[in-house]
Amino acid sequence: DAGVIQSPRHEVTEMGQEVTLRCKPISGHNSLFWYRQTMMRGLELLIYFNNNVPIDDSGMPEDRFSAKMPNASFSTLKIQPSEPRDSAVYFCASSLEAGPSYEQYFGPGTRLTVT
Amino acid sequence: GDSVTQMEGPVTLSEEAFLTINCTYTATGYPSLFWYVQYPGEGLQLLLKATKADDKGSNKGFEATYRKETTSFHLEKGSVQVSDSAVYFCALRGDYKLSFGAGTTVTVRA
């Protein structure tokens, strides 16, 4: 299996622009997670989907952030408008099931820089 | 809520030295515990896991034992290599959510 695929790997944009991050989970996995990693806050869960349905979006920082999962093989995380404080590495992860014993497989991440 | 505390780094060691990274957790119920490793410029990779008390996870010479009485999951390796240089994250999963520690940067010098 190719693992979790994320694109782009690097994104540099100007403040105010829209940014869309993409994720393809591992085939057959029914749970998908978006995380953000920063030096200040470490790894934070932004949103969790189960069977394509958003279950917990309490980690989404504000209304500028939105996420969708239109089908089992694709998810997007959108930031509109972007701000410099959104600069971070964004990881997508997937899991076979939602239970605690199931490991989450992480993608390589998208490094976002907002200038 | 669930939380993980791990020893602060950075940790610098010589090759073949013994490595320990302490990790303690707070959780309700019976979480699963994980160690993830992040190499420079890469995503997180699962290193090992334990799903119940007294379980020992092991992989690539690393070991950690799920200690419910001390709420700990310390990572150990008997003889580190330069290739073990990375950031190590302790994490717990009570339901669907992974809660991570702050990460410990380990540098191994030849």
Side-chain angles (χ1 to χ4, degrees), chain A residues 9 31 33 35 37 43 45 48 55-56 91 95 97-108, chain B residues 30-32 34 36 38 41-46 49 51 89 93-98 100-102:
Chain A
R9 292 293 308 276
S31 298
F33 309 81
Y35 291 88
Q37 184 180 37
L43 276 155
L45 177 66
Y48 154 59
I55 302 300
D56 181 358
F91 289 104
S95 176
E97 295 287 346
S101 64
Y102 291 93
E103 65 185 87
Q104 294 183 17
Y105 294 83
F106 283 74
Chain B
Y30 303 95
S32 293
F34 304 84
Y36 281 84
Q38 185 177 30
E42 298 184 11
L44 279 76
Q45 302 175 25
L46 179 68
K49 71 175 184 180
T51 58
F89 294 91
R93 189 174 183 187
D95 40 37
Y96 57 84
K97 182 177 178 178
L98 266 175
F100 288 91

Side-chain angles (χ1 to χ4, degrees), chain B residues 12-19 78-85 107-110:
Chain B
T12 303
L13 302 164
S14 297
E15 215 167 16
E16 300 184 1
F18 185 86
L19 171 67
S79 177
V80 294
Q81 305 300 313
V82 172
S83 56
D84 294 324
S85 298
T107 302
V108 180
R109 294 181 174 170

Side-chain angles (χ1 to χ4, degrees), chain A:
Chain A
D1 199 308
V4 176
I5 299 172
Q6 290 186 247
S7 65
R9 292 293 308 276
H10 302 273
E11 177 79 42
V12 180
T13 191
E14 292 184 349
M15 182 175 64
Q17 297 299 306
E18 177 180 296
V19 175
T20 299
L21 311 181
R22 297 172 175 80
C23 174
K24 177 178 169 55
I26 293 172
S27 177
H29 284 191
N30 72 3
S31 298
L32 184 138
F33 309 81
W34 282 100
Y35 291 88
R36 179 171 67 177
Q37 184 180 37
T38 61
M39 290 294 291
M40 291 296 294
R41 301 174 65 91
L43 276 155
E44 305 173 278
L45 177 66
L46 298 178
I47 188 168
Y48 154 59
F49 291 88
N50 185 255
N51 291 320
N52 312 336
V53 176
I55 302 300
D56 181 358
D57 65 355
S58 59
M60 296 286 264
E62 48 198 276
D63 292 346
R64 297 184 298 105
F65 285 69
S66 62
K68 294 182 179 179
M69 191 164 187
N71 57 61
S73 59
F74 185 66
S75 176
T76 59
L77 178 67
K78 184 179 294 186
I79 308 172
Q80 166 63 17
S82 58
E83 296 182 3
R85 60 194 168 115
D86 302 330
S87 297
V89 181
Y90 291 81
F91 289 104
C92 177
S94 71
S95 176
L96 185 61
E97 295 287 346
S101 64
Y102 291 93
E103 65 185 87
Q104 294 183 17
Y105 294 83
F106 283 74
T110 296
R111 181 173 296 276
L112 173 65
T113 303
V114 183
T115 61

